[in-house]
């Protein structure tokens, strides 16, 4: 289910870009894909989502590029935060 949802969201985002959708639609479509990668239930899709966002960095669409860059940065920050929280928990236990 999660994989299908991730693939559908990526397909919709690519379609928005190809069809010349307005900047807000492109931005929201890419953010939706990124949120799948951030959600705990979808962590198995995080690599796939990251590859998609990196693909968007190469897009001819300026909104797609800037949104993908922002979302990649947000994903990196969230990963660092989660890693630090886990490290602190492990230190408290051990």
């Amino acid at each position: 289910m999660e994989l299908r949802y991730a693939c559908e969201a990526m397909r919709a985002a690519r379609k928005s870009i190809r069809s010349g959708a307005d900047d807000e639609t492109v931005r929201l479509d890419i953010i939706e894909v990124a949120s799948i990668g951030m959600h705990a239930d979808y962590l198995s899709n995080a690599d796939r989502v990251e590859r998609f966002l990196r693909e968007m960095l190469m897009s001819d669409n300026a909104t797609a590029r800037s949104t993908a860059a922002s979302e990649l940065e947000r994903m990196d920050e969230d990963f660092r935060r989660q890693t630090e929280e886990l490290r602190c928990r492990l230190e408290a236990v051990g």
Side-chain angles (χ1 to χ4, degrees):
M1 178 66 175
E2 295 95 5
L3 178 58
R4 191 177 94 209
Y5 181 60
C7 290
E8 287 174 4
M10 288 182 232
R11 200 172 304 116
R14 287 182 183 110
K15 183 178 177 184
S16 292
I17 293 168
R18 278 194 312 271
S19 69
D22 62 277
D23 288 349
E24 186 66 8
T25 300
V26 169
R27 188 179 74 78
L28 292 175
D29 283 349
I30 292 173
I31 289 171
E32 180 179 5
V33 172
S35 70
I36 293 168
M38 301 288 287
H39 194 277
D41 292 344
Y42 299 111
L43 286 180
S44 61
N45 293 319
D47 287 341
R48 184 181 303 264
V49 168
E50 184 177 353
R51 281 193 307 271
F52 168 80
L53 292 173
R54 293 196 184 286
E55 174 190 326
M56 292 297 104
L57 290 175
M58 307 307 261
S59 173
D60 291 338
N61 185 297
T63 300
R65 288 192 309 269
S66 65
T67 304
S70 297
E71 292 304 306
L72 279 167
E73 185 176 311
R74 188 171 63 92
M75 285 178 74
D76 286 344
E77 289 171 6
D78 191 57
F79 178 75
R80 280 192 289 276
R81 181 186 53 76
Q82 289 177 12
T83 302
E84 182 62 23
E85 287 173 3
L86 181 59
R87 186 187 62 75
C88 290
R89 286 185 203 152
L90 290 172
E91 286 177 356
V93 171

